[in-house]
Amino acid sequence: MKLLNPIGQFVEVDGKNMNVYIEGSGNKTIVFLSGGGTASPVLDFKSLYSLLSDSYKIVVVEKFGYGFSDDYPDRNRDIDTILDDTRTALSKTGLKTPYILCPHSMSGLEAIYWSQKYPEEVEAIIGLDMAVPQYYSDMRISTAVLKLNKMLCKVGIIKLFSDNYIKTLYSHSSLTKEEKDIIKTLYSKRCISDAFINEADYCKKNAEIVNNGTTPKIPVLMFISNAEGINLDKSIWIDTAKNYASKLNNAQCVKLDCPHYIHNYRYEEINKKIKEFISTEL
């Protein structure tokens, strides 16, 4: 469904359009993968990637059901299909591997799995409060609630909450009013997609598959929030991230006292840390 003129370029994947945004240049490519249900990944990451694109090529992939990409109710959201869709979309833009993956939240599963299945394609992982497989053993995921929210979107009631959505996630960002209005439009028209509901339904199964794989052998930088905005006990979220990092060969953790969408709160600090990490580790 075309809601607005896309910010990025459409590429065809399995007969549907996925949106990919590319900015900047450099000999390193950073691929941003959004958290679950983010209304506009392209704009969600902008406060951060606009600081990075002077040094690196940055890419934002909007999965089916996110941002400007088509919804795809009948497409499986198992981890293999999600990853295949992302890799196909990037390949069709002409981008070359290896990538530095920069996942937020749920996309941490995709990033870790990518490094397991195609290690030659992943140079490093930079987690923006990314989920690790162990989170999902305790996390509560209700697709019934998601389906209710989808219905509220369909009848227009969700518009009443769009201002609060922007205030909660983007009041500390560097986005313009026009950019925030675009997010509001996307959120109001399709705050919950069928593809995301399917993804949430597969989440625990996907986490189990990733958990049974090897741990990344590449450099990993994990930014960890104060867990505000997470549907899980805060200490569990933070401790699980630190525990996962402790089992990696080359991992760094940076604790930030801000909510889950850290890249819209501490983007200047994160930008500096990322550049230091890339210059010293890669």
Side-chain angles (χ1 to χ4, degrees):
M1 180 171 66
K2 295 180 181 178
L3 304 171
L4 297 164
N5 291 326
I7 302 172
Q9 58 181 296
F10 283 143
V11 293
E12 186 178 310
V13 177
D14 198 49
K16 296 281 188 176
N17 287 323
M18 280 182 66
N19 187 49
V20 179
Y21 178 79
I22 303 172
E23 177 179 306
S25 61
N27 60 1
K28 302 290 184 185
T29 300
I30 303 176
V31 176
F32 287 85
L33 304 168
S34 75
T38 299
S40 175
V42 165
L43 292 176
D44 178 61
F45 289 119
K46 186 177 181 182
S47 296
L48 176 57
Y49 70 62
S50 63
L51 300 176
L52 292 165
S53 61
D54 63 342
S55 301
Y56 317 107
K57 181 175 289 185
I58 67 92
V59 184
V60 182
V61 179
E62 295 192 323
K63 293 180 284 190
F64 288 126
Y66 288 69
F68 296 96
S69 294
D70 289 342
D71 200 0
Y72 201 166
D74 300 325
R75 185 74 161 166
N76 285 343
R77 295 289 82 193
D78 62 275
I79 193 69
D80 282 286
T81 304
I82 291 172
L83 178 54
D84 285 348
D85 289 347
T86 298
R87 293 176 66 246
T88 298
L90 292 175
S91 176
K92 288 194 172 184
T93 66
L95 290 166
K96 304 298 183 183
T97 60
Y99 305 127
I100 299 168
L101 302 182
C102 197
H104 175 232
S105 197
M106 189 185 290
S107 282
L109 294 179
E110 182 179 1
I112 295 169
Y113 191 61
W114 199 335
S115 73
Q116 293 171 344
K117 193 170 183 181
Y118 304 102
E120 72 283 358
E121 296 183 2
V122 183
E123 191 172 9
I125 295 175
I126 299 172
L128 301 174
D129 212 25
M130 74 176 191
V132 298
Q134 293 81 358
Y135 286 141
Y136 293 98
S137 61
D138 297 311
M139 184 171 283
R140 299 179 297 275
I141 301 173
S142 174
T143 54
V145 172
L146 295 177
K147 290 175 182 178
L148 174 61
N149 287 341
K150 181 177 182 291
M151 184 182 70
L152 295 177
C153 285
K154 196 169 185 179
V155 299
I157 294 176
I158 206 71
K159 289 181 180 179
L160 301 175
F161 304 98
S162 60
D163 285 335
N164 187 61
Y165 178 82
I166 296 298
K167 182 179 179 181
T168 300
L169 297 187
Y170 301 109
S171 60
H172 293 82
S173 74
S174 63
L175 297 178
T176 65
K177 181 182 182 303
E178 180 183 9
E179 289 166 339
K180 291 176 183 177
D181 286 344
I182 292 172
I183 297 176
K184 282 176 63 175
T185 299
L186 290 166
Y187 176 75
S188 298
K189 295 292 185 181
R190 193 180 66 185
C191 65
I192 300 290
S193 66
D194 287 315
F196 172 59
I197 292 173
N198 292 341
E199 184 181 2
D201 195 38
Y202 268 100
C203 191
K204 284 183 177 289
K205 298 175 187 176
N206 289 340
E208 184 177 353
I209 291 170
V210 177
N211 194 44
N212 289 333
T214 59
T215 55
K217 303 297 190 294
I218 52 177
V220 176
L221 174 62
M222 293 176 62
F223 294 97
I224 304 171
S225 77
N226 62 15
E228 183 180 332
I230 297 293
N231 186 26
L232 189 69
D233 180 87
K234 291 183 178 181
S235 62
I236 292 176
W237 180 266
I238 295 167
D239 291 345
T240 305
K242 291 180 177 179
N243 182 58
Y244 184 82
S246 70
K247 297 177 180 179
L248 301 179
N249 294 329
N250 184 4
Q252 302 174 35
C253 289
V254 178
K255 181 70 170 61
L256 299 174
D257 188 16
C258 64
H260 182 47
Y261 276 70
I262 58 174
H263 45 283
N264 282 300
Y265 287 85
R266 304 285 284 277
Y267 43 91
E268 292 182 348
E269 181 178 351
I270 294 171
N271 163 60
K272 292 178 182 177
K273 292 289 186 181
I274 288 176
K275 287 178 177 176
E276 289 173 7
F277 172 75
I278 292 175
S279 66
T280 57
E281 297 292 337
L282 303 180

